[in-house]
Structure formats: C-alpha cells, structure tokens
Amino acid sequence: QVQLVESGGGLVQAGGSLRLSCAASGSIFSINAMGWHRQAPGKQRELVARISNDGSTNYADSVKGRFTISRDNAKNTVYLQMNSLKSEDTAVYYCFANGYIAGYWGQGTQVTVSS
C-alpha cells in the first residue's frame, strides 16, 4: 500500500502563489503517476495536474501556464507550484497516486484565494 501526506495549502490573495507538497511512502515502486485533483463547494472534483514516471505532465486547461507540477525522486515527493492564483482556484486539493493495482488519495488541503 501507499500512504500520501500533503501540505502547503493556505489563504492567499489573488495574484499570489502557493506550493503544495505530497510525500509518498510505502510500496512506492507500484506508483506510475501522481498529481492533484481539486473540489470546490457544489462542484465536481476535477483533475488539476499529473506527472507520470516518465516525466510527462498533464494540466487542466484552466491552470496551464500558471501551475507547474514537478517531482523529487530522492524524497518521493511531488510539488505543485501555483502562481497567479485566482479566486476560482479556491478548493480542497487532493493529492493522488495511481498504481498498477490501486489508486491512493491524500487527506486534502484547503486553498483559499481572496479577491
């Protein structure tokens, strides 16, 4: 099994930046991709960003050019750098890991962008 611990959420003014972190432990050899989904009140959970083991990345159209996902293999950690934040980015952000057998979720971290 895989355990995910995420951090870095908080309150920021529009135009500001935050960096989310997600550290994986356990059977990390089974992970083939990691990233974040987010869910705002009254809305569906949506994919924000994903990075695969080969280094390829995917982003939601709404965050392209503003968010960057990266990884530190030595720390088994992925990061989401969020710049030029907008009020519509306000949501709970959930780290995920895709494995060959199962998927895993972090506990979620609140990101609130004031305007």
Side-chain angles (χ1 to χ4, degrees):
Q1 61 276 354
V2 173
Q3 296 80 45
L4 303 175
V5 178
E6 59 183 298
S7 61
L11 190 152
V12 65
Q13 293 192 108
S17 298
L18 286 172
R19 189 177 74 156
L20 305 184
S21 300
C22 182
S25 61
S27 300
I28 57 175
F29 67 90
S30 67
I31 298 173
N32 56 56
M34 293 182 65
W36 276 267
H37 287 241
R38 68 185 181 187
Q39 187 166 28
K43 296 185 177 180
Q44 290 184 273
R45 189 172 297 192
E46 64 176 351
L47 176 68
V48 178
R50 178 176 60 190
I51 184 166
S52 299
N53 285 354
D54 65 1
S56 62
T57 57
N58 300 92
Y59 297 94
D61 287 342
S62 60
V63 308
K64 285 181 179 177
R66 299 188 297 120
F67 291 11
T68 302
I69 189 168
S70 61
R71 65 184 182 185
D72 184 337
N73 290 334
K75 297 181 179 179
N76 299 315
T77 299
V78 295
Y79 305 94
L80 185 67
Q81 179 67 46
M82 305 185 293
N83 297 326
S84 301
L85 283 161
K86 305 174 180 179
S87 60
E88 54 262 43
D89 296 316
T90 295
V92 178
Y93 286 68
Y94 296 92
C95 179
F96 72 86
N98 287 336
Y100 298 109
I101 304 299
Y104 307 91
W105 292 99
Q107 78 278 12
T109 185
Q110 176 72 48
V111 171
T112 302
V113 183
S114 63
S115 62

